[in-house]
Amino acid sequence: MHAMSNPSCQQIVVVKNEKGLHLRPAELMARLAMQYEATVMVTKDDQSADCKNMLSVLTLGAVQGTQLGLSAEGPDAAEALSAVAELFEAGFHELDAE
């Protein structure tokens, strides 16, 4: 029976890059999330955004140091979640670009 249910996973991430969750990271995240079937949501306080929707991610206004919740639901939820979490962990590859 339980094989039918869509697994869901959650993780807390912190925005590390200096400029926060601006256009470029939002685009990177959307492009990455679209490679997965799972729905990946990012949550700040009581606002949620679909990672595949760049504009809704931008409306979160997440600045450097913001703690966000990531959650994923779907057949490849675990992979999608860890991929998006790694992007946050890497500071959207902006940390080394001065």
Side-chain angles (χ1 to χ4, degrees), residues 15-26 57-58 60-66 88 91-98:
V15 180
K16 291 186 170 183
N17 51 314
E18 207 176 309
K19 296 188 186 110
L21 212 45
H22 61 101
L23 195 61
R24 190 179 158 277
V57 168
L58 290 173
L60 294 176
V63 295
Q64 186 179 31
T66 305
F88 274 94
F92 295 93
H93 311 294
E94 290 188 338
L95 297 180
D96 44 4
E98 284 300 308

Side-chain angles (χ1 to χ4, degrees), residues 27-86:
E27 185 191 358
L28 277 175
M29 188 162 63
R31 207 178 294 159
L32 180 66
M34 281 181 203
Q35 296 171 16
Y36 296 92
E37 223 181 295
T39 303
V40 185
M41 300 298 288
V42 59
T43 309
K44 176 189 169 207
D45 304 323
D46 55 357
Q47 277 184 289
S48 282
D50 184 338
C51 287
K52 295 178 186 180
N53 183 336
M54 220 166 74
L55 290 176
S56 79
V57 168
L58 290 173
T59 62
L60 294 176
V63 295
Q64 186 179 31
T66 305
Q67 244 193 16
L68 300 170
L70 285 182
S71 63
E73 207 170 299
D76 51 4
E79 296 92 325
L81 190 74
S82 82
V84 172
E86 275 173 35

